[in-house]
Amino acid sequence: MRIEQDLKLDFVDVLIKPKRSTLCSRKDVDIEREFNFRWADAKWKGIPIIASNMDTIGTIDMAKAMAKRKMLTAVHKFSQIDDWKDPELPSDSIMATTGINDDETRRTFDAIIKKHPEIQWLCIDIANGYTERFVEFIEKIREKHPEKIIVAGNVVTGEMTEQLILAGADIVKVGIGPGSVCTTRRMTGVGYPQLSAVIECADAAHGIGGHIISDGGCIVPGDIPKAFGAGADFVMLGGMLSGHDECMGSIVEIEGKKLMEFYGMSSDTAMMKHFGNVEHYRASEGKTVLVSYRGGVDNTLSELLGGLRSACTYAGAKRLKDLPKCTTFIRVNRQLNDTFRESSEYKVVDTLVAQ
């Protein structure tokens, strides 16, 4: 047993320090980025925000809405071939997702890629990215699809980020336990504060030509620029995009208020829905909640991108790419910051349904 004494921080623990700027308006900020990749012979340009591969978030309808803003969507791994028949499928802005444990989802993943060879993005998603089996699976997918952009995760440490990139991943998903409906930290005692995870994993990835996604932990719009300022190349959102028409959650009405179901992918709800049971050897590591129904996602995207542009102007960054170089974080009183975040209209959980 050993204890690391270094201070580790979450988004709630810091604010971005404002600086003098030559920018006249937030409209002058360029929030698009162009990427090359270590392994894939491909380029991508757009706003590097991704709708999460959760089955209530990563839908084809969400992908179409995100694509209009030049953003990405990781379609969840339980999607079916018929879901991909949409004639307006935004193939250049969509990720096909697979796990490594379920044969049916892997077969569907292979069928989707065969049917849509134009899709460049592949996402290999697993809760615990520290297994040798996961590394071997990435190597196989890279060998089979040398031209594709491969996203893999999740991990939270620099050394494992490097190993996944060297195994064939172009981009590593970073985050264990920070999601609004994830209970991994509470159930297992395992995790890593997200801001520090992003800083350390970004440093490791960039040193060998890779990239990272900050996956989870963004509760209010200001957390998005914090993630980019910490070095994330992409930011993945789940709860902040919940409650919209493009989601697949069931809508209920309680005391005249419309609410939509949202749950973690390791929750009892998700396991019963996709596997019919919760195996005796595992516990739920997610919760099910109801969030306010918010109509179409477009207005929410406008507010999130507006907040990102404004943060760049405060930090003096003319381009999103420059934000890490312009960012100075200030540690803050966590209790006061928690109070602010709890009062935000973007608070995810309105009514708890089940743990």
Side-chain angles (χ1 to χ4, degrees), residues 7-51:
L7 181 70
K8 306 298 180 183
L9 301 171
D10 262 319
F11 295 138
V12 69
D13 296 311
V14 300
L15 291 171
I16 296 172
K17 183 179 179 179
K19 296 179 181 177
R20 288 181 61 188
S21 172
T22 59
L23 289 163
C24 296
S25 170
R26 67 191 67 181
K27 69 182 179 184
D28 297 329
V29 177
D30 181 7
I31 57 173
E32 290 189 21
R33 284 193 60 183
E34 184 171 6
F35 292 92
N36 296 306
F37 302 96
R38 177 184 169 110
W39 297 104
D41 184 17
K43 289 185 178 181
W44 182 83
K45 184 177 182 180
I47 300 172
I49 293 177
I50 308 169

Side-chain angles (χ1 to χ4, degrees), residues 183-197:
T183 60
T184 295
R185 294 179 183 179
R186 187 172 71 187
M187 292 299 297
T188 69
V190 175
Y192 208 98
Q194 187 69 359
L195 181 76
S196 291

Side-chain angles (χ1 to χ4, degrees), residues 251-260 290-294 345 347-351:
I251 296 178
V252 299
E253 189 167 328
I254 299 177
E255 297 179 352
K257 183 178 181 180
K258 281 188 176 181
L259 303 169
M260 182 178 284
L290 294 175
V291 301
S292 297
Y293 169 69
R294 294 190 275 165
E345 64 177 307
K347 181 176 61 175
V348 171
V349 179
D350 289 310
T351 306

